[in-house]
Amino acid sequence: MLSEAHLDTFKRDGCVVVEGFLTEEQIKTLRGRISDMLDSLEPSSHPLTTFATGTRDDKHIGDRYFFESSDKTCYFFDEDAVVDGRLAVDKQRAVNKIGHGLHITEPLFAALTHSEHTRAIASRLGYEDARVLQSMVIFKQPKIGGAVPLHQDSSFLFTRPPSACGFWIALEDCTLTNGCLEVVPGSHRYSAVTRRFVRKQTSFTASDGSEFPDGNEFVHIEPVFSLFPPDRDDGRATAEAPPSAGPKECVPLQVKAGSLVLIHGQLLHRSSHNHSDRSRWIYTFHIVEGSYEYDARNWLQMPAAAELTKL
């Protein structure tokens, strides 16, 4: 599934497209389950928690519903879909994403995430104890699907040393018009992680007496860098000098439905607003190395006494 040519491209570019990862029948089955999930959603009895991507004053989501989503099926709405506490569009078009524990709660997504192919890829990338987190369906809804700014996944899913890798699976054709991935090829080789997205150290007390962080925030850290995956350098690798001509331009990754895109945790990537009449459904999850430190400041935490899920 992951050839030597794929691996060479991943090492060079920090990402690689694996075409035909899913069959047409698998795509149809997954999309059918997603449609059922959307149909069963009852907004009137559901928190209308919106997902902010950070394009508006660096604002990000951070409420109890969000903090408790690591092992659950939770629904998050597009910012533009909720006006004055009510949905401004029909519910099928209002949801930004469903996550972050689909690999735990949903049998079809659990089977895909923990498949023989996925495990083989993780092993090929050098993971010895791969752990799964932040699994979600992202919709990029027609007309209102928001842009996601340039970022590194390792800022959000931080280990010491860095070890995040994204598995990004297209459930529809992804194009420039509906908000495909855009990457800065090779940026993982010179872009250290210099900030983290963490739980705030201040807290609030819920009505049941539970304590929760008072939101999330970015904090600056001493630069950390690693070429893992696939090179297990224990964080001792040295970053290359950035391009002399300045930062490279983003390159769009237009992919067919069923394609898998592997994304190195240090790779700079983004996606644009969906201005088209077509949605852009994808399923994504991330893995980190289980033997590396994943500390309590990370925004995504499993319930007390539970570990990140083994791949």
Side-chain angles (χ1 to χ4, degrees), residues 51-60 79 146-150 271 273:
F51 179 73
T53 62
T55 57
R56 302 178 184 181
D57 300 321
D58 226 20
K59 176 187 174 185
H60 278 265
E79 289 181 284
V148 177
L150 204 64
S271 64
H273 193 286

Side-chain angles (χ1 to χ4, degrees), residues 243-310:
S244 57
K248 290 184 178 180
E249 295 284 334
C250 275
V251 174
L253 293 183
Q254 301 189 79
V255 299
K256 292 290 187 182
S259 297
L260 163 69
V261 184
L262 296 173
I263 306 170
H264 192 284
Q266 285 169 187
L267 183 76
L268 294 167
H269 61 288
R270 70 184 185 193
S271 64
S272 298
H273 193 286
N274 182 2
H275 293 287
S276 78
D277 295 319
R278 295 177 51 248
S279 58
R280 193 220 65 182
W281 289 16
I282 66 105
Y283 173 61
T284 185
F285 62 91
H286 298 78
I287 60 174
V288 296
E289 176 54 52
S291 62
Y292 291 173
E293 180 189 13
Y294 183 89
D295 66 33
R297 290 216 70 191
N298 276 304
W299 74 269
L300 185 68
Q301 298 290 330
M302 293 294 286
E307 295 183 333
L308 294 175
T309 310
K310 282 182 174 289

Side-chain angles (χ1 to χ4, degrees), residues 10-288:
F10 183 79
K11 288 181 179 180
R12 182 192 69 218
D13 294 343
C15 62
V16 65
V17 177
V18 181
E19 296 180 343
F21 182 73
L22 295 183
T23 65
E24 289 186 10
E25 188 60 33
Q26 285 177 303
I27 296 169
K28 180 180 178 181
T29 300
L30 290 168
R31 286 180 57 83
R33 175 56 190 150
I34 294 167
S35 294
D36 289 344
M37 294 167 75
L38 290 173
D39 288 342
S40 66
L41 173 64
E42 182 47 68
S44 63
S45 59
H46 193 280
L48 297 182
T49 301
T50 57
F51 179 73
T53 62
T55 57
R56 302 178 184 181
D57 300 321
D58 226 20
K59 176 187 174 185
H60 278 265
I61 194 172
D63 61 11
R64 179 175 183 172
Y65 185 71
F66 184 68
F67 284 130
E68 292 186 331
S69 65
S70 63
D71 64 338
K72 298 178 178 64
T73 299
C74 295
Y75 296 76
F76 302 96
F77 297 87
D78 266 304
E79 289 181 284
D80 292 338
V82 179
V83 178
D84 297 329
R86 302 183 66 175
L87 292 186
V89 295
D90 62 79
K91 63 181 182 180
Q92 283 82 4
R93 294 184 61 239
V95 177
N96 172 285
K97 65 177 177 176
I98 305 175
H100 294 96
L102 300 186
H103 63 289
I104 299 171
T105 61
E106 284 291 322
L108 285 176
F109 291 99
L112 171 57
T113 304
H114 296 280
S115 70
E116 179 182 337
H117 289 320
T118 300
R119 290 187 176 124
I121 289 172
S123 177
R124 192 91 165 91
L125 290 174
Y127 287 89
E128 296 177 356
D129 181 19
R131 302 295 179 118
V132 184
L133 65 171
Q134 199 185 25
S135 58
M136 51 192 171
V137 172
I138 302 177
F139 293 95
K140 191 76 83 166
Q141 301 285 10
K143 300 296 185 183
I144 64 172
V148 177
L150 204 64
H151 67 283
Q152 297 169 298
D153 288 344
S154 283
S155 290
F156 294 86
L157 305 170
F158 185 80
T159 61
R160 285 192 185 274
S163 64
C165 182
F167 285 61
W168 193 98
I169 304 167
L171 300 177
E172 295 182 295
D173 291 350
C174 302
T175 68
L176 273 173
T177 58
N178 70 354
C180 67
L181 274 175
E182 300 173 34
V183 305
V184 182
S187 55
H188 70 301
R189 293 186 277 109
Y190 57 80
S191 297
V193 180
T194 59
R195 65 176 190 165
R196 293 181 58 185
F197 187 61
V198 299
R199 296 181 170 209
K200 287 184 177 179
Q201 294 182 311
T202 55
S203 62
F204 69 90
T205 302
S207 58
D208 62 1
S210 302
E211 291 282 331
F212 288 90
D214 191 24
N216 295 306
E217 63 183 345
F218 278 108
V219 295
H220 291 282
I221 60 173
E222 288 295 317
V224 291
F225 180 84
S226 176
L227 288 175
F228 179 74
D231 299 332
R232 293 188 71 96
D233 51 38
D234 295 323
R236 293 191 292 266
T238 302
E240 297 179 7
S244 57
K248 290 184 178 180
E249 295 284 334
C250 275
V251 174
L253 293 183
Q254 301 189 79
V255 299
K256 292 290 187 182
S259 297
L260 163 69
V261 184
L262 296 173
I263 306 170
H264 192 284
Q266 285 169 187
L267 183 76
L268 294 167
H269 61 288
R270 70 184 185 193
S271 64
S272 298
H273 193 286
N274 182 2
H275 293 287
S276 78
D277 295 319
R278 295 177 51 248
S279 58
R280 193 220 65 182
W281 289 16
I282 66 105
Y283 173 61
T284 185
F285 62 91
H286 298 78
I287 60 174
V288 296

